[in-house]
């Protein structure tokens, strides 16, 4: 009887050890960790914050969009024509590091790079009778963040920030913004 108990105990320890090693190995595997982007780290850099507002899905000749790009040296307003986004009008203004830093902190508090799981893989074809907004952050030509939302449904896009505040922050960077978009069909 003692011999049988010893065999069972040895088999139990052996099986438990095998399970422990197998499970431990899978948990200890090196997994890549995606570093969260901290927007305010770009306040003193060559980064560009970009806001694009695209109009309804219409004929190529009628398609228009507005793009505002802000970096620490310049603020640019552009009117884009057609689905190829040909620039038809540009207005530029100087900027400075202090103003850009305040702007970036404002964007950060408004959730400019806050992401949610989108219902669709792309903004293409989403919200055909409304507007699509693209929110981008780039640095040294590399895209750091690209999110989007549609006016038809907030949950359709990947942007999870405060769209009204972000829009207001970008529009406020362009003097007489309302006059510049008066004839743009969005």
């Amino acid at each position: 009887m003692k011999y049988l108990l010893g065999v069972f105990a040895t088999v139990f320890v052996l099986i438990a050890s095998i399970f422990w090693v197998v499970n431990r190995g899978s948990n200890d595997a090196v997994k890549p960790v995606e570093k969260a982007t901290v927007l305010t780290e770009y306040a003193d850099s060559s980064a560009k914050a970009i806001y694009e507002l695209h109009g309804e899905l219409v004929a190529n000749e009628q398609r228009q969009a507005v793009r505002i790009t802000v970096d620490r040296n310049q603020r640019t307003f552009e009117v884009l024509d057609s689905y190829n986004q040909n620039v038809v009008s540009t207005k530029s203004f100087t900027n400075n590091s202090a103003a850009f830093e305040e702007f970036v902190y404002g964007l950060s508090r408004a959730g400019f790079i806050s992401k949610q799981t989108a219902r669709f893989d792309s903004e293409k074809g989403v919200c055909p009778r409304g507007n699509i907004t693209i929110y981008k952050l780039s640095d040294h030509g590399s895209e750091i963040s690209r999110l989007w939302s549609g006016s038809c449904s907030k949950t359709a896009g990947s942007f999870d920030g405060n769209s009204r505040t972000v829009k207001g922050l970008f529009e406020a960077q362009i003097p007489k913004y309302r006059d510049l978009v008066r004839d743009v069909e969005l």
Side-chain angles (χ1 to χ4, degrees):
M1 184 71 170
K2 286 183 181 181
Y3 179 75
L4 192 58
L5 241 86
V7 169
F8 282 127
T10 304
V11 169
F12 176 77
V13 169
L14 184 62
I15 291 172
S17 297
I18 291 171
F19 277 111
W20 180 77
V21 168
V22 169
N23 287 334
R24 182 176 173 262
S26 66
N27 289 339
D28 288 346
V30 177
K31 297 175 186 170
V33 176
E34 188 175 315
K35 183 183 177 217
T37 302
V38 178
L39 182 59
T40 54
E41 291 177 359
Y42 293 93
D44 188 29
S45 73
S46 62
K48 294 180 180 191
I50 302 162
Y51 175 89
E52 292 180 10
L53 181 61
H54 298 266
E56 295 181 356
L57 295 182
V58 293
N60 188 52
E61 299 82 7
Q62 296 174 285
R63 175 70 169 204
Q64 290 192 304
V66 169
R67 178 169 48 216
I68 300 171
T69 304
V70 181
D71 64 35
R72 67 188 218 196
N73 298 314
Q74 187 170 316
R75 297 162 290 139
T76 306
F77 169 85
E78 298 170 301
V79 175
L80 312 172
D81 251 357
S82 85
Y83 290 93
N84 291 330
Q85 298 189 349
N86 303 317
V87 177
V88 295
S89 174
T90 302
K91 188 96 169 141
S92 294
F93 307 91
T94 59
N95 206 13
N96 61 57
S97 295
F100 185 63
E101 181 178 16
E102 288 289 332
F103 177 67
V104 168
Y105 272 80
L107 288 178
S108 179
R109 296 194 195 312
F112 183 68
I113 59 173
S114 295
K115 185 177 183 176
Q116 69 179 357
T117 302
R119 285 190 356 218
F120 304 101
D121 292 340
S122 164
E123 72 276 5
K124 293 183 186 311
V126 176
C127 198
R129 303 311 304 158
N131 298 93
I132 295 291
T133 305
I134 310 290
Y135 311 85
K136 294 192 268 189
L137 176 68
S138 66
D139 192 21
H140 298 292
S142 295
E143 198 167 81
I144 308 300
S145 175
R146 185 185 188 284
L147 305 171
W148 63 276
S149 66
S151 63
C152 300
S153 173
K154 181 186 183 303
T155 60
S158 57
F159 179 73
D160 195 31
N162 185 324
S163 57
R164 180 175 288 175
T165 300
V166 169
K167 178 183 181 193
L169 286 167
F170 273 94
E171 290 177 358
Q173 297 299 302
I174 306 300
K176 299 185 180 179
Y177 174 82
R178 295 277 176 235
D179 294 339
L180 294 171
V181 296
R182 182 173 292 134
D183 296 328
V184 180
E185 294 181 32
L186 295 172

